[in-house]
Amino acid sequence: MKHDLEEWITEAIMSNTPVAVVEGYDDIQFYEKIILDLGKEINVEAVENIEGYGEGSDSVIKFIENLQPKFEERPDNIRYILGIIDKDVRDYREELPDPKYIGLLVLKYYSQESHYVTRENAIDLILKLTSVSSKCLNDKIKTEIVKDLTENDFKDLYYFSLEALKNACDANYESVISYSDSADKIFATNNKPRLLQQINLKKSDLDEFAKNKNIEFKDLRYIAKGKWILNVFARYLINKIPQIQEQCGVTEGITCNFCSIGNNAKCMWRMKNKFSHSHIPTLISNFLIDSEINYIKDRLRRLA
């Protein structure tokens, strides 16, 4: 049975246990980990589990909109309910919720997955996927990883995202990519080259579109769908690690304890298991960096 709104809010207040209402199934674990780190007692609930609401950001917005009279009649109620939604590309479509609504947090990036894609997490994942030590993972290798990812895979993603964003902003635009496309469909090895060829023909127009929207490459996490950027990040690391393993003991500055003495069969850059890119989202879910989520923590701290 779904939660009855009135009873549910009363229970939150009476038990002094606030509730964070999120878009759906995929969001609960993310926010529960943040709350656990805060040491607060806050329940996280998907909006679809409340009577009268479906899933998704529009339902969370509607839920908070309907609660405005509750917040007005008793200002302290705002300490017990918080709606949280992904930004998506609402800002570029001029569809951000009315700022007069209190009790709603809009993420600063496209979605919660976007917060995981950092230089620090790339390094932590490599340590998790392989047997290399922090000492082996020197500044030369870290710089190469970030540079290669940024100048190639993320640059492609930037233009794919611009194409999807232009499609989202212009109903008459004939796009080859939309935000409804799955990451595995777009970035599959048998599909990405074809799409990239089509996007390359549009680059000048997409650059002009980006200029008009004040978008630069550094804004990638604001325009790339969270599941896309995480997928690209994961595919890159899974492909990059074997490349570094081939260089270990051969290329200057890249060597592990075993390759340094010619025992390449025990190279520490070898992946521990048969990982694929699909395993990365689960592994990376344990890597939340405070500098990325402090603004979320700050808002949750304001609850009772």
Side-chain angles (χ1 to χ4, degrees):
M1 182 183 295
K2 291 191 175 188
H3 300 293
D4 176 81
L5 182 57
E6 292 291 334
E7 292 179 3
W8 194 51
I9 293 173
T10 300
E11 182 181 341
I13 295 170
M14 295 296 290
S15 64
N16 200 37
T17 306
V19 181
V21 177
V22 299
E23 294 185 28
Y25 178 90
D26 292 337
D27 301 299
I28 294 175
Q29 187 182 66
F30 175 76
Y31 293 106
E32 284 186 343
K33 285 185 176 180
I34 294 175
I35 291 165
L36 183 64
D37 191 48
L38 277 176
K40 287 180 72 73
E41 189 70 28
I42 301 172
N43 291 327
V44 181
E45 189 58 87
V47 68
E48 65 192 274
N49 291 335
I50 304 168
E51 190 64 46
Y53 297 92
E55 64 179 321
S57 59
D58 286 340
S59 288
V60 176
I61 294 169
K62 188 66 176 175
F63 169 75
I64 292 298
E65 180 184 353
N66 290 339
L67 279 181
Q68 296 305 299
K70 283 281 185 186
F71 297 147
E72 290 169 8
E73 73 180 35
R74 184 173 178 268
D76 197 51
N77 286 346
I78 192 64
R79 299 175 62 236
Y80 292 93
I81 299 288
L82 176 67
I84 309 176
I85 64 170
D86 295 340
K87 179 186 73 67
D88 299 325
V89 289
R90 289 178 176 275
D91 46 346
Y92 298 108
R93 288 165 54 97
E94 299 183 356
E95 293 178 348
L96 285 171
D98 193 324
K100 74 179 181 183
Y101 292 156
I102 57 175
L104 182 65
L105 172 65
V106 181
L107 296 186
K108 68 177 182 179
Y109 299 132
Y110 188 101
S111 66
Q112 52 99 344
E113 293 93 345
S114 312
H115 296 75
Y116 290 114
V117 181
T118 65
R119 181 181 189 274
E120 294 84 355
N121 281 351
I123 304 309
D124 284 342
L125 276 171
I126 289 171
L127 296 175
K128 186 81 172 177
L129 295 168
T130 71
S131 298
V132 295
S133 63
S134 298
K135 185 178 179 181
C136 287
L137 200 53
N138 56 45
D139 287 341
K140 171 185 168 66
I141 300 173
K142 292 177 184 177
T143 300
E144 178 192 331
I145 288 169
V146 173
K147 186 172 184 291
D148 187 23
L149 175 59
T150 301
E151 293 182 356
N152 295 289
D153 296 54
F154 274 0
K155 184 65 75 173
D156 293 343
L157 176 61
Y158 173 68
Y159 281 101
F160 282 16
S161 300
L162 285 176
E163 173 76 352
L165 179 58
K166 189 169 183 178
N167 180 60
C169 294
D170 183 354
N172 297 316
Y173 182 64
E174 293 186 9
S175 173
V176 298
I177 295 171
S178 73
Y179 282 121
S180 62
D181 293 333
S182 72
D184 282 331
K185 173 187 175 183
I186 296 172
F187 303 109
T189 52
N190 63 345
N191 200 33
K192 181 185 172 184
R194 177 185 62 82
L195 289 173
L196 192 58
Q197 190 174 34
Q198 292 175 284
I199 294 296
N200 283 337
L201 297 174
K202 298 183 172 189
K203 271 190 174 180
S204 294
D205 288 340
L206 292 174
D207 283 334
E208 185 63 29
F209 171 72
K211 183 178 179 181
N212 291 336
K213 291 285 187 181
N214 294 314
I215 298 170
E216 299 177 21
F217 177 68
K218 64 181 176 60
D219 300 318
L220 179 62
R221 286 193 289 174
Y222 296 92
I223 65 169
K225 190 173 180 177
K227 288 182 172 60
W228 290 1
I229 195 169
L230 190 52
N231 187 284
V232 171
F233 187 68
R235 286 176 184 271
Y236 171 79
L237 288 176
I238 291 297
N239 292 327
K240 187 66 177 179
I241 289 170
Q243 293 173 15
I244 298 176
Q245 182 188 342
E246 290 180 3
Q247 298 175 58
C248 192
V250 178
T251 302
E252 184 180 352
I254 303 178
T255 188
C256 71
N257 300 52
F258 290 90
C259 290
S260 65
I261 60 169
N263 190 356
N264 301 81
K266 288 191 174 181
C267 179
M268 297 172 76
W269 276 98
R270 189 185 308 277
M271 279 198 279
K272 292 176 183 175
N273 297 296
K274 292 182 179 179
F275 287 111
S276 72
H277 72 275
S278 62
H279 295 115
I280 299 299
T282 301
L283 291 172
I284 206 172
S285 67
N286 295 310
F287 305 154
L288 279 172
I289 300 173
D290 273 349
S291 59
E292 293 293 323
I293 59 170
N294 270 336
Y295 76 102
I296 302 173
K297 283 186 170 183
D298 289 343
R299 183 61 186 87
L300 289 167
R301 282 192 187 99
R302 289 160 54 190
L303 295 176

